[in-house]
Amino acid sequence: MMTTNLISQQYQMQLQIKPGQSIQGTYQTPADKSISHRALIFGAIAAGNTVIDNLLVSDDVERTQQALQALGIQIETRQHQTVVHGLAGFNFQPQHSLTRLNLGNSGTTARLLMGLLAKQPHTIQLSGDLSLNQRPMARVISPLTTMGMRAEYLADHGMLPLQILPTTQLRGIKYTLPVASAQLKSALILGALQADAPSHFRQPAVSRDHTEKMLWQFGGCSNLHVEGNLLTVSPLQRPLQAQHVVVPGDPSSAAFLISAALLLPGSQLLVENQSLNETRTGFLRLVQQLAPQAIEVSVSRDDTAGEPRGDILVKHAHQQLPAFQINGRLLGCLIDEIPILSLLATQCQGTTIIREATELRYKETDRLHVITTELTKLGAIIREQPDGLIIEGPTKLHASDDEATVSAHADHRIAMMLVIAAILSGQHFSIEGLDSIAISNPTFITDLQQLLRVESQWDQL
Ligand code: S3P
């Protein structure tokens, strides 16, 4: 029996893992975070009441909900449904003359709100936690400013906190995005819908397309034309229409348990109702290539919003998984899965190369650096590169006596990666900073306990 000590700010839990522990059962993946943010935002500007089934309950999504409420949007929660009373436009009515929005850790909230609020008669301040205040915002503010938005950085240039100043007009622009970022693309689409002429955006590579799909679902078919990597956005002439949005499971959350099931002998996991949107299935396609006989995907529902969903049956891989390569073209479809893929690579035979992934340095932490530091403490062989990682495998993960404590650095995806690493290692060690898991996946530990069939409880520190 080994004990992993999970430590958050106020609680700790001793997770007892037996040798030969497997993952078994059915997993209802928590709702998709990206789609949840967007459902609230589109609901806010549509005409009528948007009903959202299965909205993710997590810190990040609550930030979007609270920000919209502070801007005068009424949002009600009724059992498993959330109802957003739309404005039929962008005429937000904040409760105060100067609105201060605290966006916590949520980069998606910050960046999407910049586009949403680009043309307002109000002054709106945006700030975040320590991590969010260090993430790059100029990539969004700069093209929006070219469109006519007015913004002022309140501390460091290019970072939060900043304030959006009153503006009455936005111009259409032609712009090539410097990074394949869905957050940037979405902010630009939201801004361009309020401009006085069409905008043309070129993205360097594919990134998740939930904003595009949701705009079409809400009736904006004629406002967005996509041809390859070129997007043309025409201003809204009439309000979008409220919709019923059913949020599927989040592939980025499912990836942690899929990886554990692949690697732990005797495992069999049915992941239900996961999003199979092809801009999000990079991880799934990759692991299917590594272990084709271990993964079965069945598309169960393809809803009108164009967000396909389905079930995934994962079994222990039985054979040694080979090393793999990830480059910039694939990155956009699995960007949030890099932490768990790095852990997986430590168990694969050969040299895994992840490159053209500098964007990982601008996530909740510098993930290239933090993955290297924390997994190295567990015996992994990882070389950090300026734009990626080189990982040699397979290595037996172990906690050496003097480095028996690893840290999530307040990054939810690093925290979940480390919990899976602990289970794979079969060794005693402690993981600090687990509070951050609530940002995207508050039920992760309880779901994991159920699937591992272990019983332990959080104790007050
Ligand atoms: C997100 C886009 C991605 C992703 C983030 C959520 C979104 O960020 O990493 O977790 O909802 O648009 P970038 O668009 O900056 O790559």
Side-chain angles (χ1 to χ4, degrees), residues 32-258:
D32 190 86
K33 183 156 84 68
S34 295
I35 298 178
S36 295
H37 286 296
R38 287 158 173 83
L40 289 167
I41 289 174
F42 277 95
I45 55 174
N49 296 341
T50 286
V51 177
I52 309 169
D53 282 17
N54 195 33
L55 184 79
L56 176 67
V57 180
S58 84
D59 287 359
D60 266 17
V61 175
E62 270 166 27
R63 295 295 176 164
T64 296
Q65 181 162 335
Q66 285 160 5
L68 292 172
Q69 284 169 324
L71 291 163
I73 302 294
Q74 272 186 47
I75 301 174
E76 294 162 57
T77 306
R78 301 178 189 152
Q79 288 169 347
H80 292 295
Q81 288 192 321
T82 304
V83 182
V84 185
H85 299 268
L87 280 179
F90 294 78
N91 47 328
F92 292 101
Q93 305 292 334
Q95 293 146 10
H96 306 286
S97 53
L98 168 66
T99 305
R100 291 194 176 89
L101 303 177
N102 181 351
L103 313 175
N105 193 252
S106 182
T108 308
T109 311
R111 295 194 175 120
L112 268 57
L113 284 191
M114 289 172 192
L116 183 75
L117 303 175
K119 187 177 133 187
Q120 287 294 311
H122 314 287
T123 298
I124 299 164
Q125 291 188 352
L126 307 181
S127 67
D129 67 8
L130 272 178
S131 152
L132 186 58
N133 285 352
Q134 285 168 17
R135 294 180 67 184
M137 297 298 157
R139 55 174 64 180
V140 186
I141 293 297
S142 155
L144 285 174
T145 307
T146 311
M147 292 174 85
M149 174 202 202
R150 294 192 311 131
E152 241 174 37
Y153 296 113
L154 298 173
D156 293 336
H157 182 84
M159 314 263 173
L160 294 181
L162 60 79
Q163 62 185 0
I164 301 172
L165 300 168
T167 312
T168 52
Q169 210 184 358
L170 292 181
R171 295 178 282 280
I173 58 165
K174 230 184 199 168
Y175 185 68
T176 298
L177 282 68
V179 281
S181 158
Q183 294 178 354
L184 168 57
K185 176 176 62 176
S186 304
L188 294 177
I189 293 174
L190 288 165
L193 289 174
Q194 305 171 69
D196 56 11
S199 295
H200 305 274
F201 304 119
R202 184 176 290 281
Q203 46 176 351
V206 172
S207 62
R208 63 192 68 188
D209 64 357
H210 306 301
T211 301
E212 295 90 310
K213 289 204 154 80
M214 207 167 279
L215 175 56
W216 287 323
Q217 184 193 357
F218 276 71
C221 290
S222 60
N223 298 93
L224 173 67
H225 180 71
V226 180
E227 212 174 308
N229 282 338
L230 189 69
L231 281 76
T232 303
V233 187
S234 311
L236 281 178
Q237 304 296 350
R238 54 179 179 280
L240 296 171
Q241 293 304 312
Q243 296 293 313
H244 182 191
V245 180
V246 183
V247 184
D250 195 322
S252 314
S253 298
F256 294 95
L257 285 159
I258 293 178

